Amino acid sequence: MTNEYQILLTLASIHWIALMSPGPDFALVIQNATRYGRTTGIYIALGLSFGILIHSILSLTGISLIVHTHPVWFALIQIAGGSYLAWLGLSTLNSLYQRRKVRHQPETQPPASLCLDNHKQAFSKGFLTNLLNPKALVFFISLMSSLIPADFSASGKMLALVILWGLSFFWFAILAWLLSGQRLQNKLQAAAVYIDGLCGVIFSVLGLMIGYHAFTSLT
């Protein structure tokens, strides 16, 4: 049991470091917490954490490994994930361009295609962004296969899932909370256009790179 606790501690440490690394999830929280405030940012965080939970379950049960070892299946997942990220990025950039063309539109009004009408939409956006990220699939396969032995207890596996989900939600929720403080929010709103533009570029470049890699792997 002591050995299992050590494994779980190592798992939590590696996952925590990975969470703090900049990526699509990080950018999504920054963009939406800046634009729409604390509650929307927390629902984005909840969606991201459930995406991570699904990846963790699939990796722990070996399903993700099966997909990863079939090049065509994995390439199709990469294409789907890359397309979604590219769509997020390009729609953001297009909305910013359209808003710039309409000179009389107030600067504080967000682009129409970026609006999150409700909490369900915010959750879905976070969930899909993480779930369709093929890099997350590879990361959790590597993490689980290298740390979790075949004879790991069922209670240990359940605890691992709770830790991975809990740390994910905690980190992204704290990030959304900090970014949506009133004083910081006033400053970030002035730079919201630039934040949207940067996030749009990040999503577009990552999505196109993932899609290109997937297409080349099939040829």
Side-chain angles (χ1 to χ4, degrees):
M1 184 62 68
T2 302
N3 185 50
E4 286 198 355
Y5 288 146
Q6 292 174 345
I7 291 173
L8 291 173
L9 180 60
T10 303
L11 182 75
S13 301
I14 294 173
H15 183 54
W16 182 253
I17 294 171
L19 284 171
M20 291 188 289
S21 302
D25 297 348
F26 193 91
L28 190 71
V29 173
I30 292 177
Q31 181 187 28
N32 288 279
T34 301
R35 272 286 179 194
Y36 307 113
R38 182 165 294 167
T39 303
T40 296
I42 289 176
Y43 272 90
I44 289 281
L46 189 62
L48 290 170
S49 66
F50 270 94
I52 288 172
L53 178 62
I54 297 299
H55 274 299
S56 302
I57 293 172
L58 294 178
S59 298
L60 200 58
T61 56
I63 296 175
S64 290
L65 183 60
I66 294 173
V67 172
H68 190 247
T69 53
H70 288 74
V72 175
W73 293 0
F74 185 57
L76 290 176
I77 290 176
Q78 284 184 304
I79 291 171
S83 299
Y84 181 73
L85 289 176
W87 174 80
L88 280 180
L90 294 175
S91 63
T92 297
L93 296 175
N94 179 62
S95 295
L96 292 176
Y97 173 71
Q98 294 298 328
R99 185 176 64 172
R100 186 173 181 179
K101 288 170 61 177
V102 183
R103 296 294 183 180
H104 64 273
Q105 186 172 345
E107 283 297 319
T108 55
Q109 182 178 340
S113 68
L114 295 180
C115 289
L116 298 178
D117 296 327
N118 52 56
H119 297 154
K120 181 180 178 181
Q121 192 177 41
F123 175 88
S124 299
K125 196 169 188 177
F127 180 73
L128 290 175
T129 298
N130 184 271
L131 188 65
L132 294 177
N133 184 358
K135 291 187 176 182
L137 183 145
V138 175
F139 170 75
F140 283 103
I141 291 174
S142 303
L143 188 64
M144 295 300 189
S145 61
S146 61
L147 287 180
I148 306 297
D151 59 349
F152 210 66
S153 68
S155 59
K157 291 179 180 179
M158 287 297 298
L159 188 54
L161 294 176
V162 171
I163 289 172
L164 293 171
W165 177 84
L167 286 177
S168 302
F169 178 65
F170 175 77
W171 165 247
F172 290 124
I174 286 295
L175 185 62
W177 183 277
L178 293 175
L179 289 171
S180 55
Q182 189 60 51
R183 183 176 298 179
L184 183 59
Q185 189 76 6
N186 292 336
K187 295 180 180 179
L188 290 175
Q189 283 296 329
V193 172
Y194 303 102
I195 293 173
D196 283 340
L198 179 60
C199 290
V201 170
I202 291 173
F203 290 136
S204 300
V205 171
L206 283 176
L208 293 173
M209 287 178 62
I210 291 171
Y212 174 76
H213 177 76
F215 277 117
T216 55
S217 68
L218 290 175
T219 58

